[in-house]
Amino acid sequence: MDGNRQLSSRAAGRAAWPRLMALSSAILLACLALALTAQTPRPYDLLLRGARIVDGTGSPWYRGDLAIAGDTIAAMAPRIEAPASRVIDASGLVVSPGFIDIHTHARRGIFDVPTADNYTRQGVTTIFEGPDGGSPVPLRPFMEKLTATKLAPNFGMFVGQGSIREKVIGSVDRKATPAEIDQMRRLVREGMRDGAFGLTTGLFYVPGIFTPTDEVIELAKEAGALGGIHVSHMRNEAAGVLDSVRETIAVGERGGLPTQITHHKIIGTGNWGRSVDTLRLVDEARARGVDVTIDQYPYTASSTGIQALFPPWALGGGQAEVAKRLRDPAERARIKSAVIENIKYDRGGGDPKNVTIASCAWDPSLAGRNLTEITRARGQEPTLENAAETVLSIVERGGAQGIFHAIAGQDLERILRHPVTMVGSDGEVPIFGRAAPHPRSYGTFARVLAVYVREKGLLTLEEAVRKMSSAPASRLRLPDRGVLRPGMKADIAVFDPARVKDKATFENPHQYAEGFACVLVNGQVIYENGAMTTARPGRVLYGPAYQPVSPATAPHR
Ligand SMILES: [Zn+2]
């Protein structure tokens, strides 16, 4: 028994050694693991699992996981095993960079709807304002107001040549003096230092319309010297479109800066087909080294003030001057015959029914009705003459926003296919349900994916995404957005390529796009499962010459 005990005790002793060894190595391993955990990054905040990754560069999609830490893409790999606070199963879905809208009028509405649902619900994560020559001047107070507003998307600005000219010499039809040009140059530099990404022109509008090309070039040089680009709503998008493309190219070529034809289109039935020539001019300019590009929205109707049907000369001096001209019978007759011409051959698309009112402050009931209907309601036959008279009376009473169906689908498609064309909405941030805005505000990006990728096969998915992400990002020299790659900001759209769809129509524009599973801005989910979240991670983006005000010059608060 004793022996047995001894034996068993010795046996127990021999058996205890491996157990002790195992225990101590387990403790050692645990310590090592703890030490490793302390050194490796914390678990990811979010993991998108098993997605079809369309990275924004135009490269073919590939399957993989994407992990986010904070506001940044932390890892991308075929399979990421490290733990994440949250995992989203993205199998069957496309994960792409969030879309960047280089041309919006978002200050119409952004302070009412800081989540910009119409944009964010179609994957847009960054919007740019200050288009067509129109921006606040100075820019800084507006940028500060944006910063103080909690936005869902990121927001960047251009400074507008028209607004600068307006401020310096008013909306009059004359050349600027050398002293005035100096003053305007100074305001361009100020705009760039306030954070603009460049200078926009709207040479179709008052007062841009009164600006000679040479004056535009003098101002563009200032923006270019500070790293900015030039973006132009051209002087003429109808019969004079070729000369206007030449002018936009000249601003880039002689001003020494990148130049962009914005919302490129060919207006007026008699001009349809000329995109062949406008694109040839762009190709020729690029071949000789001019950095010219294009943006476009995917609709065959444009939208702007109804006075776009007026001749330029009739619009100088502001509303009071315009009203005065309309009271003079001879002037009125001249304006009217020009409006008739513009309905026939230009923005009117050849028929008063092609012009619809989008919104009207003094009579909201006009929204959604066309010139034929409104003319009939005035008790007149909808002849060209009477429709022109309707336009005159609308402008006399304060004007209205119009929609103009005067673009050919063939030109649209030819321009969209061109490799230097990117997508921009030219939209705004509508108040949901109010007025009858152009559907581009709700549908531009989803429409490119639904109609021009899936239905028509005009673009590959990868190419369409490139036109909405890395193309505008490189145009604007955004170093950390527009492409999915570790280290880039996590602005991301997750969508079903088979279901993505623009729902907004001209008849019923207030409809959000469908098919987006979630949208992220700076790493945070802003939209998910058909609803906005409470996150407001949008940032104000600053251009290349931005200078924060130094404490010495900052005003006391
Ligand atoms: Zn425009």
Side-chain angles (χ1 to χ4, degrees), residues 430-502:
I431 312 290
F432 194 85
R434 188 186 293 177
H438 192 300
R440 64 195 181 188
S441 295
Y442 285 94
T444 289
F445 294 82
R447 182 172 179 79
V448 169
L449 297 172
V451 175
Y452 296 97
V453 174
R454 190 178 60 231
E455 289 171 24
K456 299 195 172 206
L458 188 80
L459 302 171
T460 63
L461 176 61
E462 291 86 346
E463 177 66 355
V465 168
R466 185 188 70 78
K467 288 171 177 287
M468 302 174 181
S469 55
S470 75
S474 27
R475 197 62 181 144
L476 295 156
R477 300 199 183 96
L478 299 176
D480 52 0
R481 297 177 200 275
V483 172
L484 298 181
R485 191 170 286 158
M488 303 291 271
K489 293 283 178 260
D491 291 347
I492 292 174
V494 183
F495 60 93
D496 181 347
R499 282 190 50 241
V500 62
K501 186 167 175 54
D502 58 308

Side-chain angles (χ1 to χ4, degrees), residues 383-469:
T383 59
L384 281 175
E385 286 257 315
N386 291 337
E389 198 55 53
T390 301
V391 173
L392 264 49
S393 85
I394 291 173
V395 172
E396 262 173 333
R397 295 165 76 177
Q401 197 72 10
I403 292 173
F404 308 85
H405 296 264
I407 301 166
Q410 273 202 336
D411 285 315
L412 190 168
E413 293 184 10
R414 189 178 292 119
I415 294 167
L416 185 58
R417 256 195 328 254
H418 195 283
V420 305
T421 300
M422 56 197 80
V423 176
S425 72
D426 196 10
E428 58 193 44
V429 178
I431 312 290
F432 194 85
R434 188 186 293 177
H438 192 300
R440 64 195 181 188
S441 295
Y442 285 94
T444 289
F445 294 82
R447 182 172 179 79
V448 169
L449 297 172
V451 175
Y452 296 97
V453 174
R454 190 178 60 231
E455 289 171 24
K456 299 195 172 206
L458 188 80
L459 302 171
T460 63
L461 176 61
E462 291 86 346
E463 177 66 355
V465 168
R466 185 188 70 78
K467 288 171 177 287
M468 302 174 181
S469 55

Side-chain angles (χ1 to χ4, degrees), residues 103 105 132 205 233 262-263 265 426:
H103 184 137
H105 297 262
D132 303 339
Y205 296 110
H233 176 147
T262 200
H263 52 53
K265 60 174 105 56
D426 196 10

Side-chain angles (χ1 to χ4, degrees), residues 52-103:
R52 259 203 249 175
I53 294 177
V54 177
D55 69 7
T57 64
S59 296
W61 70 265
Y62 59 92
R63 202 174 307 282
D65 294 356
L66 183 152
I68 294 162
D71 65 358
T72 303
I73 299 172
M76 291 171 72
R79 178 81 186 176
I80 294 173
E81 296 297 349
S85 309
R86 190 179 165 202
V87 178
I88 295 178
D89 176 13
S91 52
L93 298 174
V94 164
V95 166
S96 82
F99 306 138
I100 298 169
D101 193 339
I102 197 167
H103 184 137

Side-chain angles (χ1 to χ4, degrees), residues 78 176 309 341 386 505 530:
L309 292 168
E341 292 293 293
N386 291 337
T505 60

